Amino acid sequence: MENTAHLLNEIDKKLMILLRDGRTLIGYLRSVDQFANLVLHRAIERIHVGTQYGDMERGVFIIRGENVVLLGEIDREKEEQLNSKLTQVSVEEILDAQRREIESKQEKNAILRQRLKQRGINNNPLLEDNE
Amino acid sequence: MLPLSLLKTAQSHPMLVELKNGETYNGHLVSCDTWMNINLREVICTSKDGDKFWRMNECYIRGSTIKYLRIPDEVIDLVKEDIQAKAKNRNQNQNQNRNNNNNQQNRGNKNNPNQHRPNPNRNRNNVNINKN
């Protein structure tokens, strides 16, 4: 078992989980199975925009394993160091900031697409508006 | 407790299911299987952007399309009770078996004072009866 990748050592630790849709969840891992389905307890969803972040309480999650990109334990010491660089804001503020960030990204992409089109390059999949 | 067992424990509770495509389904869990396929009742479906809503009495969701499920906090407490109850049952059964074995041993000794061990086959039968 020592040389295999497994999650049993992470049980009951406070973890950060990144999903394939880009969302970040933080909570206590309570259970896993052979598909890497996860049970996350006292979970929060954290949104980062620049140096600001906001937390939303989410309770208990059962996450289907295939949607997980990565997960890892949160280092308490480093978390405190980071907090001097990041500022927590309210949920409304962070959602607003996130909306503005997405809109500006879409605008930039639209301009880029237009310029590329003028030069004869169409439908670059990297510039599509989905997240 | 495995994730899918927890899901089974959450039967009849309200929950939120988000699909991989971003749609969410709010409803009460009716049933689920080992593929995470689920039946919901009294469902409200919300589009990805959260701007369109549909109501339906029941729906079936294929497990492979699910991103995650959010269940109420109470279900975790239910699990704790469940585990405690099961442990209690197990202890009771064990005690019962032990008592029965002792009785049998006594009986055996009465019938045949030279017999020191109870018949193992008899013993096994007894255990099965207790389980049923």
Side-chain angles (χ1 to χ4, degrees):
Chain A
M1 277 299 264
E2 259 175 43
N3 294 326
T4 57
H6 60 102
L7 292 168
L8 293 176
N9 290 337
E10 314 302 321
I11 283 197
D12 287 337
K13 286 181 184 165
K14 190 183 183 188
L15 299 182
M16 191 219 78
I17 299 179
L18 179 66
L19 297 185
R20 242 169 30 176
D21 63 5
R23 271 189 269 191
T24 308
L25 303 175
I26 296 171
Y28 294 90
L29 184 70
R30 295 300 187 208
S31 166
V32 298
D33 64 14
Q34 73 268 40
F35 308 111
N37 295 327
L38 312 173
V39 174
L40 204 59
H41 189 205
R42 298 203 197 128
I44 55 167
E45 182 177 340
R46 180 166 288 179
I47 297 176
H48 287 275
V49 179
T51 59
Q52 291 184 322
Y53 71 91
D55 291 341
M56 287 172 285
E57 303 228 349
R58 291 292 195 226
V60 182
F61 271 91
I62 301 174
I63 305 169
R64 199 175 157 90
E66 17 168 8
N67 301 291
V68 175
V69 178
L70 60 88
L71 56 84
E73 193 182 359
I74 292 181
D75 188 323
R76 290 286 168 85
E77 278 178 34
K78 287 185 180 162
E79 194 182 15
E80 280 162 24
Q81 286 170 22
L82 257 184
N83 277 342
S84 60
K85 293 172 192 159
L86 298 176
T87 47
Q88 184 169 9
V89 297
S90 71
V91 176
E92 293 79 23
E93 278 178 83
I94 202 68
L95 285 175
D96 203 42
Q98 188 188 38
R99 189 178 44 77
R100 272 183 275 123
E101 189 189 47
I102 291 172
E103 279 171 4
S104 79
K105 216 178 251 173
Q106 284 176 350
E107 268 172 45
K108 269 185 201 160
N109 277 348
I111 295 169
L112 202 50
R113 255 201 315 267
Q114 206 183 356
R115 297 273 163 79
L116 286 169
K117 205 175 174 183
Q118 287 165 358
R119 289 160 178 78
I121 302 169
N122 269 332
N123 300 327
N124 188 333
L126 292 175
L127 295 176
E128 268 164 32
D129 281 336
N130 46 27
E131 294 156 36
Chain B
M1 183 159 213
L2 296 174
L4 287 169
S5 319
L6 179 64
L7 186 58
K8 209 176 167 202
T9 312
Q11 268 173 12
S12 84
H13 286 265
M15 61 176 56
L16 178 150
V17 183
E18 180 159 333
L19 304 190
K20 288 173 181 166
N21 65 13
E23 286 174 8
T24 56
Y25 290 77
N26 279 284
H28 286 72
L29 182 66
V30 177
S31 57
C32 59
D33 63 18
T34 52
W35 292 284
M36 214 188 267
N37 301 324
I38 55 173
N39 271 110
L40 294 177
R41 218 170 257 287
E42 302 291 316
V43 194
I44 296 174
C45 169
T46 309
S47 67
K48 189 183 181 199
D49 301 323
D51 53 355
K52 287 194 276 305
F53 303 90
W54 294 269
R55 237 200 66 94
M56 39 200 150
N57 288 330
E58 52 193 313
C59 81
Y60 174 85
I61 298 175
R62 188 178 153 97
S64 65
T65 65
I66 293 173
K67 187 188 292 169
Y68 61 71
L69 309 106
R70 281 177 58 198
I71 60 175
D73 288 346
E74 304 98 76
V75 179
I76 290 263
D77 303 332
L78 272 182
V79 169
K80 285 175 194 157
E81 284 167 25
D82 232 42
I83 290 170
Q84 278 167 358
K86 270 182 192 152
K88 213 175 167 187
N89 267 336
R90 215 175 298 132
N91 281 337
Q92 270 176 356
N93 278 341
Q94 267 172 7
N95 287 338
Q96 248 173 29
N97 287 343
R98 211 171 294 139
N99 287 339
N100 286 336
N101 288 347
N102 286 342
N103 288 343
Q104 193 159 43
Q105 203 160 14
N106 291 339
R107 238 182 287 135
N109 286 344
K110 249 185 232 165
N111 292 343
N112 180 4
N114 296 329
Q115 187 188 347
H116 292 295
R117 300 170 118 211
N119 182 348
N121 284 331
R122 253 183 163 188
N123 207 347
R124 208 174 294 141
N125 286 340
N126 227 345
V127 172
N128 286 340
I129 288 164
N130 282 334
K131 265 188 190 161
N132 294 333

